[in-house]
Amino acid sequence: MNVQKVNYQKELEKLIKQLEKDGRIPTLLIHSCCAPCSSYVLEYLSEYFKITVFYYNPNIYPESEYTKRILEQQKLIRDMHFKYPVSFLAGKYEKEKFYKMAEGMEDLKEGGARCMKCYELRLSEAARQAAAGGFEYFTTTLSISPMKNAQKLNEIGIRLGEEYGVKYLVSDFKKKNGYKRSIELSGEYGLYRQDYCGCEFSMRQD
């Protein structure tokens, strides 16, 4: 049985049109994996939302890489100009949570079950933070990467949104040349672009 894929970018565009029609500027918590991936997402969505960037990535290895990425994220937010305010929220570096989640899946290929569980780990904390902070929406920058499964990310996000009682902003940020634009913006703002996803296992495979 073929399950029809949803064009999540078109769904996002429909929602944005409705928000503009209603004259509403909702609050949005964006889980960010790194500054380069967030660059285009922030450029795009800050025209329509009041954003808080939530940096929660317990998968990042080693700790020096984690520190480098969080500093780059904060620098980008300071340097970029936005129509509506963008603030920053740092999550805890709970690497033990990631390793516990990855138990038994250490040797799986990139993009498999371990990665899906990692998406869920990070999005679950984003949903929890969004609910606690009274945000109208939450989402993640992860769908900008050509290596990430946007269909699965959105399915996980929607399910967690229902669980935590906060709407998941569906997206596929790689569409409309989003990934290409993120590379341009990375150059413009002199951002450090890492050459592996982030975890110890992805580092081994690259």
Side-chain angles (χ1 to χ4, degrees):
M1 179 181 164
N2 287 331
V3 179
Q4 193 174 3
K5 285 193 174 181
V6 178
N7 186 326
Y8 287 107
Q9 177 57 32
K10 281 194 175 167
E11 292 297 310
L12 174 57
E13 285 167 14
K14 271 196 270 183
L15 173 68
I16 285 170
K17 270 187 186 168
Q18 190 59 51
L19 291 174
E20 287 186 301
K21 191 177 166 189
D22 297 343
R24 289 184 58 238
I25 314 296
T27 53
L28 169 66
L29 184 88
I30 299 180
H31 162 263
S32 174
C33 56
C34 62
C37 286
S38 73
S39 58
Y40 164 72
V41 178
L42 291 174
E43 180 183 66
Y44 176 31
L45 293 183
S46 63
E47 293 286 309
Y48 313 105
F49 295 88
K50 291 173 198 155
I51 294 169
T52 294
V53 174
F54 179 51
Y55 189 86
Y56 178 73
N57 298 290
N59 56 311
I60 302 298
Y61 173 88
E63 194 158 348
S64 57
E65 175 74 12
Y66 179 88
T67 303
K68 198 183 283 188
R69 292 194 193 195
I70 203 167
L71 291 172
E72 284 291 283
Q73 184 68 74
Q74 291 170 310
K75 176 183 176 291
L76 178 67
I77 293 167
R78 281 196 309 271
D79 291 351
M80 279 186 91
H81 300 287
F82 305 108
K83 183 173 180 181
Y84 296 107
V86 174
S87 56
F88 179 76
L89 176 63
K92 291 177 184 171
Y93 183 39
E94 302 174 309
K95 57 185 176 184
E96 67 287 347
K97 273 195 180 179
F98 171 73
Y99 283 110
K100 191 168 190 302
M101 175 227 86
E103 273 175 19
M105 296 188 284
E106 293 89 346
D107 296 325
L108 295 182
K109 281 190 176 176
E110 195 77 1
R114 186 187 65 242
C115 294
M116 299 304 141
K117 285 287 182 189
C118 184
Y119 299 163
E120 184 152 0
L121 175 69
R122 291 184 279 170
L123 280 170
S124 180
E125 183 59 17
R128 192 184 73 75
Q129 289 284 347
F135 287 84
E136 290 173 71
Y137 293 91
F138 80 104
T139 194
T140 180
T141 60
L142 286 165
S143 72
I144 199 164
S145 168
M147 308 297 289
K148 302 288 187 289
N149 186 326
Q151 192 76 22
K152 292 287 183 192
L153 279 165
N154 282 286
E155 286 169 13
I156 292 166
I158 291 164
R159 174 166 51 77
L160 289 168
E162 287 167 359
E163 191 180 318
Y164 284 90
V166 57
K167 286 176 275 193
Y168 183 72
L169 190 76
V170 296
S171 63
D172 191 352
F173 294 121
K174 71 178 76 63
K175 303 267 187 183
K176 297 278 181 96
N177 286 320
Y179 179 66
K180 182 172 176 278
R181 179 63 182 148
S182 76
I183 292 170
E184 290 169 0
L185 286 165
S186 294
E188 196 177 313
Y189 289 96
L191 297 176
Y192 154 69
R193 289 184 70 86
Q194 57 285 341
D195 57 6
Y196 65 105
C197 177
C199 79
E200 182 180 354
F201 315 116
S202 68
M203 184 191 246
R204 281 189 216 151
Q205 285 181 24
D206 284 347

